[in-house]
Amino acid sequence: MNREPDERARVRAVLDRRHGAFEALVRDYQKLCWHIVFRMVGNPDDARDLCQETFLRVHRQLHQFRFECPLKAWIGRIAYTIALRHLERQRAAPSRCLDDQDENAIESIPDESFDSEAVLADEQQAARLRDAVAALPAVPRTLVTLFHLEELPIPEIATITGMNESTIKSHLFRARASLRGWLQRRGVNSR
Amino acid sequence: MKTPGRSVAIARALASEADGLPEDFAVQVASLAEAGAEARTRSWGDAALLAAFLAMVGICMVGWRTYGSPESGIGRDFSDLLVMAASQPLLMIGIAGVGLIQVLSYRGRVMIRAKEVEISGS
């Protein structure tokens, strides 16, 4: 299915300031924006402000969109850049981060042995898995969300983050291993 | 490097987490964006009006200099503005009138803007 004509019509509608066009666009992409920004900054209040900033920038710069990538990736890129700048400004480490022991554990755990499906036996364990994702550093945490939750293809994640594809894959493998380590240390049966 | 497999478990765990955006987030952002765009358009409009006014004054001055009475010395010498104004009252009234209209219309736009901000804030 060709996405471009739809996106052109949609962008045209916003640029022509057709009533409700921008609101619909925001509604369609606000979840993606939240997932990127919140995973990056880890603070809901900041994330709300940054999501707003993202869409205001989208509105201002939409005339510059050249349809070289999906609109979703373009908006995601803006959200990621705004969140990254926010982190740089704050120079703050993510609120909850893997400690050294966790980092070492990443290397020692073979990725293939991690069966996250078994972890989701009940809601409590799902909550632990969420905590484990939240405990990842900002960038891998965001990549995990974009890949597993948003189900974006690796090239689109590369467009959003500006990273090359092998770096993204490497982050994803390492993140998965660290999730398994994190859960095992907290006594969650991951097999 | 091979592509990692997607995990339904991770996706489900993350999906069950509610996002922290207010329900009317899209409406709020859209109205803010519209207001911003409107303000940008207005500021360009204001700048264009000011430029047009200055251009008009410039044209008047050139006309004055070109067609002003040579006996009065007004066409050559701009040093005595009061003398010039006294000798060309109709032109001065015209410029003052256009200036007044500009000021009044700008004031009107500012008042309308303030009213809109008040309405959107309430």
Side-chain angles (χ1 to χ4, degrees):
Chain A
M1 196 163 61
N2 196 357
R3 60 164 177 87
E4 209 185 299
D6 287 347
E7 290 191 347
R8 278 190 189 277
R10 173 157 237 202
V11 169
R12 180 49 42 210
V14 175
L15 293 178
D16 289 346
R17 297 170 77 170
R18 231 169 280 159
H19 181 71
F22 187 63
E23 191 185 312
L25 186 140
V26 174
R27 199 162 282 133
D28 285 351
Y29 295 112
Q30 69 182 56
K31 254 191 190 306
L32 168 80
C33 181
W34 173 264
H35 287 148
I36 294 172
V37 172
F38 179 62
R39 296 291 169 210
M40 286 291 285
V41 303
N43 176 318
D45 291 334
D46 289 349
R48 267 189 289 276
D49 291 346
L50 295 174
C51 282
Q52 182 174 303
E53 191 181 333
T54 298
F55 282 109
L56 293 179
R57 189 176 296 182
V58 165
H59 192 265
R60 270 201 312 274
Q61 297 185 346
L62 197 59
H63 66 283
Q64 294 173 5
F65 178 54
R66 296 284 169 260
F67 303 95
E68 286 157 355
C69 63
L71 182 61
K72 188 178 193 178
W74 187 75
I75 292 173
R77 174 82 186 147
I78 292 177
Y80 184 81
T81 308
I82 285 177
L84 203 61
R85 286 209 185 125
H86 175 82
L87 285 181
E88 284 168 2
R89 271 200 307 271
Q90 288 208 320
R91 297 252 175 253
S95 53
R96 284 183 299 168
C97 194
L98 292 172
D99 52 27
D100 288 344
Q101 196 190 353
D102 288 319
E103 285 292 353
N104 293 335
I106 292 170
E107 304 304 326
S108 62
I109 297 165
D111 180 60
E112 297 306 319
S113 65
F114 176 43
D115 179 7
S116 55
E117 312 308 317
V119 172
L120 262 193
D122 55 29
E123 180 47 39
Q124 193 186 10
Q125 288 188 330
R128 285 191 185 165
L129 188 48
R130 275 199 300 275
D131 289 345
V133 172
L136 290 169
V139 171
R141 190 168 61 202
T142 309
L143 296 177
V144 163
T145 308
L146 291 177
F147 185 71
H148 295 290
L149 177 61
E150 289 288 335
E151 296 189 344
L152 293 183
I154 300 283
E156 247 174 66
I157 299 178
T159 305
I160 289 172
T161 58
M163 294 177 187
N164 68 46
E165 294 186 16
S166 52
T167 308
I168 292 168
K169 288 176 189 173
S170 162
H171 270 299
L172 288 171
F173 279 119
R174 284 165 56 90
R176 191 130 171 188
S178 72
L179 288 179
R180 177 175 174 266
W182 197 94
L183 291 167
Q184 279 184 337
R185 275 191 300 286
R186 280 148 189 86
V188 180
N189 178 20
S190 63
R191 184 24 91 186
Chain B
M1 186 185 278
K2 65 174 184 172
T3 304
R6 293 189 202 276
S7 161
V8 178
I10 295 175
R12 266 197 224 137
L14 294 177
S16 61
E17 193 177 36
D19 76 40
L21 295 173
E23 268 182 30
D24 59 346
F25 176 76
V27 179
Q28 279 180 19
V29 171
S31 62
L32 274 175
E34 283 299 320
E38 192 71 22
R40 283 194 296 279
T41 310
R42 276 170 179 165
S43 61
W44 278 111
D46 290 346
L49 271 173
L50 181 67
F53 176 62
L54 292 177
M56 194 209 68
V57 171
I59 288 167
C60 289
M61 297 304 274
V62 169
W64 193 344
R65 184 168 200 148
T66 308
Y67 302 112
S69 161
E71 295 83 37
S72 65
I74 290 161
R76 294 181 301 276
D77 186 8
F78 282 90
S79 60
D80 195 343
L81 284 170
L82 281 175
V83 174
M84 286 198 302
S87 66
Q88 301 278 356
L90 289 176
L91 192 61
M92 291 312 293
I93 289 169
I95 291 174
V98 173
L100 186 67
I101 289 167
Q102 295 280 334
V103 169
L104 288 176
S105 63
Y106 180 75
R107 187 170 162 269
R109 285 199 303 278
V110 167
M111 284 170 72
I112 290 168
R113 230 174 285 177
K115 199 85 180 163
E116 281 173 359
V117 169
E118 197 181 299
I119 290 166
S120 65
S122 62

